[in-house]
Amino acid sequence: MILRGNFPIDKFEELETPFYYYDFDLLRATLRAIDENTRRDPDFCVHYAVKANANPQLLRIIAQAGLGADCVSGGEILAAIKAGFPGHKIVYAGVGKTDREINIGLDNDIFCFNVESEPELRVIDELARAKGKLARIAIRVNPDVGAHTHANITTGLAENKFGIAMTDLDRVIALAKSLDNISFIGLHFHIGSQILDMNDFTALCNRVNSLVERLENRGIDVPNINVGGGLGIDYKHPNHHSIPNFEEYFDTYRRHLNLRPGQRLHFELGRAVVGQCGSLISRVIYVKEGTKKRFVILDAGMTDLIRPALYQAYHRIENISSDSEIVERYDVVGPVCESSDVFGKAVDLPLTKRGDFIALRSAGAYGEIMASQYNCRELPKSYNSDNI
Ligand code: LLP
């Protein structure tokens, strides 16, 4: 096998582009790093946020590593169960859970529904009663803690649609405790995604500490605290930082969150688990000389990886075919009929020609799963280091 970086480039020659390529050895190393940094804390429970990537083989590896699953739809619960996550390790959040989806959760005896509104709480109670079950719920609190990340992916501010305001918390807990088929087991939080400044998580810890203390003073026990996900990855240097700094992340919680004996702390990590192990592999269809610029036109577009178009997100672009020592500046674009279908502007690449392989790095999270068929394009296929 001929490797370019970690890419088996000779195998790629036989495949139709574009496709996602997952380095499962890196995924396993990432899962080992999570285990090494949480093993000594039996009260830490790490869940994988399925929304980041629900590729069945990838899910299976994560389930085998012992993580729980954080789901946001009935479809995700079913995908998690199919991949081998046990129901009792599944948590389920979402502002708009339908009756059908709640029933999927009940039928699979999931660990916890993260409840985001009062009407939702009443519906879960009704549906649980109809099945003669007791639904465990945590209340998702909107902590009004900002995160230093992109505006579209912060979720913990008062202005966001997520969770229940702190001022309504007492009333909603009282309601939960009054409902026969509901068991109140804790609180859930999430402040946003792609967070690299640990101070943001410290701010969340401080908020959680004061809330839990307030509740305990009134005799309300909070056996489970779920702090959501959000740990970011290094999009600029995927090779140097291929595994996120889990030590720093879990240490932040260890140092700043006052966990009581027997209290369990849940995490819901998505991007940090799968982000670096995936790349979108495409071929150059044309190199086009514009009047002011030179364009590299790929066969992958925003339908395959929407993050640059949607969030102006940066993904490192590498020509993994070219050996040229000549470096040229290009705008790297896709073929979709939208001017936002741009992966990078003024990108320096070795001299690039038609047919070269281009890797869009750090695309394991929110890549394949967000693909669409706009322009009647086919969904991208995927391959991995186990099956190629
Ligand atoms: N828990 C909850 C309640 C969430 O809303 C999310 C992500 C996570 C956990 C996982 O967050 P992570 O560890 O992956 O940061 N499509 C966007 C990201 C949206 C994140 C939505 N919620 C992107 O491509 O950047």
Side-chain angles (χ1 to χ4, degrees):
M1 190 189 295
I2 302 163
L3 286 176
R4 285 293 288 252
N6 270 342
F7 298 117
I9 193 137
D10 55 332
K11 304 279 183 187
F12 287 1
E13 297 287 349
E14 301 153 21
L15 305 172
E16 212 177 294
T17 47
F19 58 85
Y20 276 88
Y21 176 72
Y22 298 110
D23 178 349
F24 280 167
D25 296 327
L26 177 58
L27 174 63
R28 292 189 186 94
T30 307
L31 292 163
R32 276 197 301 277
I34 292 175
D35 180 52
E36 279 156 18
N37 284 289
T38 53
R39 196 185 291 161
R40 63 193 155 105
D41 301 278
D43 297 329
F44 281 19
C45 309
V46 182
H47 304 263
Y48 166 63
V50 175
K51 65 174 82 62
N53 191 325
N55 178 289
Q57 274 177 281
L58 174 142
L59 282 185
R60 223 167 291 137
I61 292 173
I62 299 172
Q64 276 163 9
L67 271 68
D70 157 38
C71 300
V72 289
S73 70
E76 284 191 0
I77 296 176
L78 294 174
I81 295 280
K82 197 164 169 194
F85 290 92
H88 67 87
K89 282 191 182 174
I90 294 179
V91 294
Y92 175 25
V95 289
K97 303 179 185 76
T98 64
D99 293 15
R100 182 180 157 269
E101 292 179 306
I102 292 168
N103 280 326
I104 291 174
L106 291 168
D107 290 340
N108 288 288
D109 292 316
I110 62 167
F111 174 65
C112 187
F113 291 87
N114 293 325
V115 170
E116 308 221 10
S117 68
E118 219 176 288
E120 179 193 330
L121 188 55
R122 292 185 194 277
V123 171
I124 295 176
D125 178 56
E126 265 169 43
L127 295 174
R129 184 171 324 119
K131 289 182 184 290
K133 294 203 174 197
L134 186 64
R136 285 170 297 276
I137 68 106
I139 293 177
R140 178 164 180 183
V141 180
N142 185 327
D144 201 15
V145 169
H148 298 94
T149 184
H150 191 278
N152 288 13
I153 51 180
T154 87
T155 45
L157 285 172
E159 67 203 49
N160 296 128
K161 70 180 174 185
F162 300 101
I164 286 171
M166 283 176 295
T167 43
D168 296 335
L169 186 57
D170 293 10
R171 192 165 42 82
V172 181
I173 292 179
L175 172 65
K177 288 189 169 276
S178 74
L179 296 171
D180 290 342
N181 295 76
I182 294 288
S183 164
F184 168 78
I185 65 163
L187 300 177
H188 174 228
F189 306 84
H190 176 73
I191 54 171
S193 200
Q194 184 52 19
I195 297 169
L196 291 166
D197 184 346
M198 294 301 119
N199 293 319
D200 290 338
F201 296 120
T202 306
L204 174 62
C205 289
N206 295 338
R207 183 48 58 77
V208 174
N209 289 339
S210 60
L211 263 184
V212 170
E213 199 180 304
R214 205 184 83 193
L215 294 175
E216 282 179 347
N217 284 343
R218 269 177 295 123
I220 298 167
D221 202 23
V222 185
N224 293 278
I225 296 168
N226 182 334
V227 287
L231 176 63
I233 61 172
D234 189 345
Y235 282 96
K236 289 253 152 68
H237 308 288
N239 295 335
H240 296 137
H241 296 133
S242 55
I243 298 181
N245 193 339
F246 291 113
E247 188 177 347
E248 183 184 53
Y249 173 73
F250 288 112
D251 237 32
T252 301
Y253 282 98
R254 211 172 273 128
R255 284 190 290 124
H256 296 281
L257 202 119
N258 304 332
L259 214 57
R260 313 284 190 267
Q263 216 169 23
R264 292 215 282 169
L265 183 58
H266 301 258
F267 301 88
E268 301 173 338
L269 293 173
R271 191 187 318 262
V273 182
V274 296
Q276 295 292 33
C277 78
S279 295
L280 176 60
I281 308 295
S282 64
R283 277 187 193 263
V284 177
I285 319 177
Y286 302 114
V287 178
K288 170 174 163 177
E289 301 287 338
T291 43
K292 292 197 177 135
K293 289 176 165 186
R294 191 173 279 151
F295 294 97
V296 164
I297 303 170
L298 302 181
D299 56 11
M302 62 191 285
T303 52
D304 307 295
L305 177 64
I306 200 175
R307 301 192 70 257
L310 194 59
Y311 315 118
Q312 294 76 50
Y314 173 87
H315 285 263
R316 190 179 153 86
I317 301 171
E318 291 173 357
N319 184 329
I320 55 173
S321 299
S322 178
D323 284 324
S324 177
E325 307 222 318
I326 304 164
V327 172
E328 297 274 352
R329 186 157 287 183
Y330 305 95
D331 276 13
V332 179
V333 303
V336 174
C337 300
E338 294 275 344
S339 29
S340 57
D341 188 24
V342 175
F343 289 120
K345 290 193 169 160
V347 182
D348 288 335
L349 294 174
L351 192 65
T352 295
K353 58 181 195 314
R354 173 174 162 84
D356 283 354
F357 282 116
I358 300 288
L360 292 148
R361 302 291 307 276
S362 313
Y366 308 108
E368 187 181 1
I369 195 73
M370 290 180 82
S372 78
Q373 291 199 292
Y374 181 44
N375 283 191
C376 288
R377 287 169 57 80
E378 277 179 37
L379 288 173
K381 297 197 173 46
S382 77
Y383 302 94
N384 59 66
S385 50
D386 287 359
N387 73 6
I388 210 166

